[in-house]
Amino acid sequence: MTFANQFAAEYPGEVAIQDEHQALSWEEVDDALNRCANGLQAADLGPDTRIAVFAENSVETALANLGGLVAGASVVPVNFHLTAEEVAYILSDSEARILFVGPETAERGIAAAAESDVHTVIGWGDSGSAVPWSDWLVNSEGHEPDETVPPRPNLLYTSGTTGRPKGTELPPTMFAGGDTVAEHLSRFKAAALERSGGIRGPQLVVGPMYHTGPLSATRQLIGGIPSVILGRFNAENTLAAIEKHRIISTLMVPTHFVRLLALPDDVKAKYDISSIASISHTGAKCPVDVKRSMIEWFGPVFMDAYGASEVGTTCLILSEEWLKYPGSVGKAVPPFTAMILDDENNELPPNTEGRLFFEDATGRGVVYHNDPEKSAAAHIAPGVFTLGEIAYMNEEGYVFITDRFSDMVVSGGVNIYPAEAEQVLIDHPAVLDVACIGVPNKDMGEELKALVIPSLDIDRPDSEVLIAWCRDRLSHYKCPRTLDYVDDIGRNTMGKVNKRKLRAPYWEGS
């Protein structure tokens, strides 16, 4: 008996998953997942048994991801903001064979598939020449799929430090494992019920489902947790959904908090949010005043998880602890141990600022797909890695992040590596040299700014022209929002730029 079939018997007629356009019962979810899994098991999924999902939030997006898991396929969730060229790279690098698209991504997805080894594009809504999702399901078998096949983790892609996205498998801390899909689903169900603390109620998915957090939330269906899926974030719609569906749990990033708090007081008071028992916070460090205001409003229901797609959660803190240690991202959680090191990799005493590293007791650390050199470069010793932050740790082991020594920018919970925009901008004839940095943005936390040294032999274009040049060639979220012309970006004799020094003037007083 599949997990959805079991819940169909336990909760007959209950809505298992819904979005703004449709709602499915457990019985309907069971049938759709059986057909999706059987359709995938009958297809050629290549040497790595891999599929990709390139679609905005919807019931179908969730079912395609879950259907891949049940089929024993490795699913690649693709950022729906990407251009066709960017998607084609991910499809080729991952060796995915089937691509699922929604109406908003169909044109780009079909074009990307033509440049890769994808042999079938399946889409819902108005998805052009893609195989219709409903037809594909009808033509697939409805019996229980083979659950003796091994489960395979997602392959996740993050922005690249050198201009190309990096693939990394969903880490063991976020993947239930097991020798078979049946064992994997059983383990995940037990873990989901343990995490819920015995409180069973609907969860709200508000973030894009290509992120590990919202993607993990949809997998809570395995534990019998109903899901309500929202599209692009709207603060008041989120409050309305909490009240309407009596939402128990959700996951948000600080930008969601900022937009919720910006609502007029009468709008905030209009909705009953008393059903909320748990809000997970991830994606970026949250400003102290924002976090305190959210706790005052929603109560001490927050669990902050600091980490990365490559390794999962490395530090954790609950509201009660955070109120005692405001601004902390928490203590390290097994199998990780936090350490603060100087530039020579010597451990520093408590309350001393330095580079934040983690030691993985399993020895795994960070592993990148098809790139042992990049995997090795992420470590200073086997299993000892950094996420690029400057921090200090108090005597009790609570970590406080103060800055970043890596180039990465976190904007609205999304990781952006400036190298991608820099490589595009440097190709413009009016650009002699360029460095992109993160500067404060009240709503998004950070935004990308380009510092450009203009060419001497060409008229200097308006900054909007260079930004448009970048946006024509990259996903818009990867491009700078502002651009300043400068005389120097401080390259040393080795050609390196001290991004921390460039950022400093913009962050003074922030």
Side-chain angles (χ1 to χ4, degrees), residues 274-285:
S274 61
S275 60
I276 286 284
S278 174
I279 298 178
S280 298
H281 153 223
T282 186
K285 177 187 174 185

Side-chain angles (χ1 to χ4, degrees), residues 123-398:
W124 42 87
D126 183 9
S127 294
S129 62
V131 175
W133 163 262
S134 56
D135 292 353
W136 181 71
L137 288 184
V138 167
N139 292 326
S140 298
E141 298 290 339
H143 58 74
E144 291 184 12
D146 180 6
E147 292 188 351
T148 66
V149 297
R152 293 177 173 87
N154 294 89
L155 184 63
L156 310 167
Y157 279 82
T158 64
S159 294
T161 55
T162 56
R164 283 294 194 181
K166 310 185 297 291
T168 183
E169 284 193 347
L170 191 72
T173 54
M174 300 180 69
F175 188 69
D179 294 329
T180 66
V181 165
E183 183 182 354
H184 177 84
L185 296 178
S186 178
R187 287 185 180 187
F188 198 100
K189 177 185 175 184
L193 293 176
E194 181 180 346
R195 278 195 298 271
S196 71
I199 302 174
R200 183 181 181 275
Q203 61 170 340
L204 186 66
V205 178
V206 298
M209 289 162 57
Y210 57 79
H211 282 175
T212 52
L215 186 64
S216 296
T218 60
R219 289 199 296 267
Q220 298 302 310
L221 275 178
I222 297 170
I225 309 297
S227 284
V228 177
I229 299 172
L230 298 185
R232 298 203 179 193
F233 185 77
N234 177 283
E236 185 171 359
N237 288 351
T238 299
L239 295 181
I242 291 172
E243 177 182 80
K244 177 180 178 180
H245 302 289
R246 304 302 296 160
I247 297 297
I248 297 294
S249 62
T250 190
L251 180 145
M252 297 184 185
V253 300
T255 297
H256 295 146
F257 298 163
V258 171
R259 293 180 179 176
L260 284 166
L261 290 167
L263 289 170
D265 289 342
D266 61 327
V267 174
K268 287 187 280 190
K270 180 179 173 182
Y271 298 98
D272 179 6
I273 58 170
S274 61
S275 60
I276 286 284
S278 174
I279 298 178
S280 298
H281 153 223
T282 186
K285 177 187 174 185
C286 187
V288 170
D289 59 334
V290 171
K291 182 64 176 297
R292 195 184 302 278
S293 296
M294 287 297 291
I295 293 175
E296 290 172 353
W297 181 10
F298 279 79
V301 297
F302 294 86
M303 179 180 72
D304 296 8
Y306 167 79
S309 299
E310 292 89 333
V311 292
T313 298
T314 56
C315 289
L316 200 66
I317 189 168
L318 302 179
S319 294
E320 292 84 354
E321 297 172 278
W322 187 92
L323 290 170
K324 186 177 180 182
Y325 302 105
S328 174
V329 296
K331 290 183 175 182
V333 295
F336 304 109
T337 301
M339 55 185 73
I340 308 296
L341 306 181
D342 64 18
D343 291 341
E344 283 73 46
N345 297 332
N346 300 307
E347 196 156 359
L348 293 168
N351 301 306
T352 305
E353 189 179 75
R355 297 181 299 158
L356 175 61
F357 280 80
F358 294 94
E359 182 174 10
D360 183 349
T362 69
R364 177 185 183 273
V366 174
V367 179
Y368 290 115
H369 175 64
N370 288 339
D371 202 332
E373 290 185 5
K374 192 173 288 184
S375 300
H379 302 81
I380 58 169
V384 181
F385 62 90
T386 181
L387 302 178
E389 310 279 15
I390 301 290
Y392 67 91
M393 188 163 54
N394 69 13
E395 293 84 354
E396 290 82 11
Y398 286 91

Side-chain angles (χ1 to χ4, degrees), residues 384-463:
V384 181
F385 62 90
T386 181
L387 302 178
E389 310 279 15
I390 301 290
Y392 67 91
M393 188 163 54
N394 69 13
E395 293 84 354
E396 290 82 11
Y398 286 91
V399 174
F400 295 78
I401 293 170
T402 58
D403 199 356
R404 186 179 298 118
F405 68 84
S406 76
D407 291 352
M408 186 177 74
V409 175
V410 183
S411 183
V414 177
N415 293 347
I416 302 170
Y417 282 93
E420 293 188 82
E422 290 168 351
Q423 288 190 5
V424 170
L425 288 168
I426 198 66
D427 286 338
H428 193 285
V431 176
L432 179 64
D433 203 357
V434 59
C436 292
I437 59 172
V439 298
N441 178 292
K442 185 177 181 180
D443 187 25
M444 307 296 284
E446 288 183 275
E447 65 177 55
L448 196 65
K449 174 183 279 291
L451 303 178
V452 170
I453 300 176
S455 297
L456 299 177
D457 54 353
I458 192 170
D459 290 338
R460 180 185 301 186
D462 290 339
S463 59

